[in-house]
Amino acid sequence: SLARIGEHEAVAVRSSATAEDLPTASFAGQQNTYLNVVGSAPVLRPVRRCWASLFTDRAVTYRLRNGFDHRLVHMAVVVQQMVFPEAAGVAFTADPVTSDRRVTYVEATFGLGEALVSGLVNPDVFTVRGGEIVAKTVGTKRVAIYAVPGGTEERAIEPERQNQQALPDAQIVRLAQLSRRVGTHFGSPQGIEGGLADDEFSIVQSRAITTLFPIPEAGDRENHVYVSVGHQQMMTDPMKPLGLSFWQMTTPAPMAEAGGRLFVDVTQRLAVPASRAAILDALGRSDPLTGDALQTLLERDGY
């Protein structure tokens, strides 16, 4: 297979374990990746190392923490043709901190994306909404990782370039739009790695974002305000299917499900002044943080 793309073409050797990219655990960074490997004989060693990285300390610890049986996890290895970008970025089709699904959160740096995902650099950070950059922070990028024969190397960035944007605004918007298409394809928010080479973006990886708080699906594209039923009862963990089913049988109010949790849509009650005060008072007394969050939401522009 490697011979078909060319014996002297550089490739990336990436891990792909059966437990990766699940709805509840991504395993991001737990197994090893090897970049810029040239030749069919040299590629065998990183393939073996990828297999072996299934049992690194960090991978074993991650499985223990997430309740995975070591004997049921297997490793495949992906060999991709290498891309040599001038700049690289990681895009999240939802804000990983606030869980806002309407924005794309982009981090960018010079060279290969390895410097970014390994935490070597303080990247540029952008928030994109509706094809427009709404927030921007340009990081001081002191190092970058570039491909060299047989692997990669870390290089210092010239002082005059350290505070320059790795990707111009127009390319950030392009990457955000491309990322939204990828997210639409997979049907869930994604964390996407890509690089810009010869004015073209190459997407090298996409995985589901597993840290977002679950929300019910709504097909009307309108804003909705949901209150977690479990949090009102001090039940913050997901419920089992039997518990969800029993609760739905006994409750008089319609409830939506997402991520093993039940939610009540309070949009209409917040929209009407007569009922707004009552629900803010009731939820505020039950949980002051929920009451404060609803009040903050009502004070936002456009709500």
Side-chain angles (χ1 to χ4, degrees):
S1 297
L2 192 60
R4 284 202 297 270
I5 68 169
E7 186 73 15
H8 301 292
E9 290 289 336
V11 296
V13 181
R14 310 175 70 108
S15 60
S16 183
T18 53
E20 290 184 3
D21 305 332
L22 300 178
T24 57
S26 71
F27 280 81
Q30 300 305 310
Q31 281 82 224
N32 292 349
T33 292
Y34 299 91
L35 302 177
N36 200 32
V37 182
V38 179
S40 57
V43 84
L44 296 178
R45 187 177 183 188
V47 167
R48 288 195 297 267
R49 286 182 169 181
C50 267
W51 281 330
S53 71
L54 195 63
F55 294 97
T56 61
D57 289 346
R58 66 174 181 260
V60 170
T61 301
Y62 191 88
R63 288 198 295 272
L64 287 172
R65 189 179 298 125
N66 288 276
F68 287 88
D69 188 335
H70 303 300
R71 296 167 296 181
L72 300 180
V73 179
H74 304 282
M75 174 70 80
V77 175
V78 176
V79 180
Q80 296 175 307
Q81 191 164 355
M82 191 72 185
V83 177
F84 301 98
E86 302 96 42
V90 176
F92 299 91
T93 60
D95 190 314
V97 177
T98 67
S99 296
D100 187 345
R101 271 82 163 173
R102 299 169 304 163
V103 304
T104 302
Y105 181 88
V106 179
E107 297 182 347
T109 190
F110 295 113
L112 294 168
E114 184 70 12
L116 180 58
V117 298
S118 62
L120 280 177
V121 296
N122 191 21
D124 304 334
V125 178
F126 304 84
T127 302
V128 183
R129 180 188 290 117
E132 179 183 354
I133 296 173
V134 295
K136 176 198 303 188
T137 302
V138 178
T140 301
K141 302 166 288 296
R142 293 186 171 85
V143 298
I145 293 179
Y146 292 97
V148 296
T152 61
E153 71 173 12
E154 181 182 318
R155 299 178 191 167
I157 297 176
E158 301 88 342
E160 61 273 17
R161 293 182 64 218
Q162 291 180 2
N163 291 300
Q164 293 180 6
Q165 282 186 211
L167 289 170
D169 286 358
Q171 299 290 21
I172 291 294
V173 172
R174 274 184 59 197
L175 178 58
Q177 291 171 338
L178 179 58
S179 300
R180 303 299 294 189
R181 288 173 55 197
V182 173
T184 300
H185 172 77
F186 285 111
S188 66
Q190 298 285 304
I192 299 159
E193 297 179 26
L196 182 71
D198 299 324
D199 202 39
E200 289 294 331
F201 277 110
S202 294
I203 301 299
V204 298
Q205 178 173 289
S206 182
R207 55 162 39 104
I209 304 174
T210 60
T211 55
L212 300 178
F213 194 83
I215 59 171
E217 291 187 11
D220 57 9
R221 296 185 177 274
E222 298 293 334
N223 289 328
H224 289 264
V225 181
Y226 295 100
V227 173
S228 169
V229 176
H231 280 69
Q232 296 301 306
Q233 310 294 330
M234 303 302 171
M235 297 163 47
T236 57
D237 290 339
M239 299 170 66
K240 298 292 194 296
L242 178 60
L244 291 170
S245 177
F246 188 79
W247 199 304
Q248 291 279 42
M249 284 172 52
T250 58
T251 179
M255 294 184 181
E257 295 182 19
R261 295 171 173 88
L262 293 171
F263 298 87
V264 174
D265 188 341
V266 297
T267 311
Q268 292 302 319
R269 278 174 278 180
L270 287 175
V272 178
S275 57
R276 182 186 306 154
I279 192 170
L280 287 174
D281 178 65
L283 292 176
R285 282 187 284 108
S286 171
D287 180 3
L289 290 176
T290 298
D292 182 66
L294 291 173
Q295 188 62 52
T296 301
L297 189 66
L298 289 168
E299 293 170 357
R300 286 185 186 170
D301 290 337
Y303 282 83

